[in-house]
Amino acid sequence: GENVEQHPSTLSVQEGDSAVIKCTYSDSASNYFPWYKQELGKGPQLIIDIRSNVGEKKDQRIAVTLNKTAKHFSLHITETQPEDSAVYFCAASISGGYQKVTFGIGTKLQVIP
Amino acid sequence: GAVVSQHPSRVICKSGTSVKIECRSLDFQATTMFWYRQFPKKSLMLMATSNEGSKATYEQGVEKDKFLINHASLTLSTLTVTSAHPEDSSFYICSASSPWGQGSYEQYFGPGTRLTVT
């Protein structure tokens, strides 16, 4: 089955700096890569996703890149703010996200004011 | 985005009793719902996948007789933890998805249910 590795497990950045979280996947059939933000005591919230037919997607301060050849994808957050502090999960799925999604272990991001 | 609710948000039950958790997709029809379990500071562990009108598919190591899942309609799935024990205490999260319309191809997660078994 699919295996998703994520690093770093924790990340501290100064407010205004950028944060980068990297993930790799094992199954070349995976074609959908969502990123989730989870705040303490809440469910994960989809923040951005990318499909295998594109290499980069951006939404305001958040961007995701995908390298299918190397089987890795990354989340980039620019101009970080304290409210970006949370746990971020990457995930991978075949047949689109409406089927089984495999999660990474999560990255706890702390933005220091 | 699509909205998924869970009820209750928190529940405390005594050991040996059963507890039911509801997961509802509020603004789209979810053909598939997923149930996850999350331990503190850990990732989400998929317990089972349920498709409307059919039996749930459980992940390896998950006891189907202990974690009963029902997906009777396109907007409601329930997870019943039977004969709960303290080791069942956890954060249970559902998600819903559909291959068409709103919610298409994404999984939208509920807010989670904190279960504590005393």
Side-chain angles (χ1 to χ4, degrees):
Chain A
E2 176 65 277
N3 181 49
V4 177
E5 296 188 354
Q6 180 174 351
H7 62 94
S9 57
T10 60
L11 179 60
S12 292
V13 299
Q14 290 292 132
E15 181 177 0
D17 288 348
S18 296
V20 180
I21 302 170
K22 298 182 179 181
C23 291
T24 61
Y25 62 99
S26 61
D27 191 342
S28 57
S30 290
N31 59 7
Y32 175 67
F33 306 91
W35 286 87
Y36 297 92
K37 176 183 180 182
Q38 187 178 29
E39 298 177 338
L40 190 63
K42 298 183 179 180
Q45 178 185 13
L46 179 70
I47 56 172
I48 195 167
D49 56 15
I50 190 167
R51 302 185 191 282
S52 59
N53 57 346
V54 297
E56 184 175 359
K57 183 177 179 180
K58 188 174 182 179
D59 183 3
Q60 299 182 331
R61 295 186 298 108
I62 295 173
V64 58
T65 59
L66 171 65
N67 183 325
K68 288 173 56 181
T69 302
K71 288 191 276 188
H72 64 70
F73 56 114
S74 301
L75 176 72
H76 303 252
I77 306 174
T78 59
E79 300 174 20
T80 55
Q81 301 168 3
E83 51 264 38
D84 294 330
S85 297
V87 178
Y88 291 82
F89 292 98
C90 63
S93 173
I94 63 172
S95 303
Y98 73 94
Q99 295 299 331
K100 181 177 178 179
V101 171
T102 302
F103 286 84
I105 62 169
T107 296
K108 183 176 182 180
L109 173 64
Q110 181 184 18
V111 179
I112 303 168
Chain B
V3 180
V4 176
S5 70
Q6 276 184 246
H7 178 80
S9 58
R10 290 177 178 269
V11 59
I12 301 173
C13 70
K14 292 185 177 180
S15 185
T17 62
S18 296
V19 60
K20 179 184 288 187
I21 302 169
E22 292 186 349
C23 176
R24 293 181 184 272
S25 57
L26 300 184
D27 51 4
F28 72 104
Q29 294 185 324
T31 53
T32 305
M33 287 186 171
F34 304 84
W35 286 95
Y36 295 86
R37 183 173 180 178
Q38 187 177 32
F39 292 101
K41 301 182 180 180
K42 298 293 184 182
S43 189
L44 286 75
M45 180 189 79
L46 180 65
M47 299 174 65
T49 302
S50 78
N51 293 295
E52 184 266 339
S54 61
K55 290 184 178 181
T57 302
Y58 289 81
E59 295 297 303
Q60 190 173 7
V62 178
E63 300 176 60
K64 60 180 66 176
D65 294 332
K66 180 166 186 63
F67 298 100
L68 301 179
I69 292 172
N70 182 278
H71 190 166
S73 77
L74 287 172
T75 60
L76 173 65
S77 177
T78 60
L79 167 67
T80 301
V81 182
T82 63
S83 186
H85 291 284
E87 56 266 31
D88 298 325
S89 299
S90 192
F91 194 50
Y92 292 88
I93 307 172
C94 73
S95 69
S97 69
S98 168
W100 61 79
Q102 189 173 5
S104 177
Y105 289 104
E106 290 93 5
Q107 282 192 35
Y108 289 92
F109 285 81
T113 296
R114 173 73 61 190
L115 170 63
T116 303
V117 184
T118 60

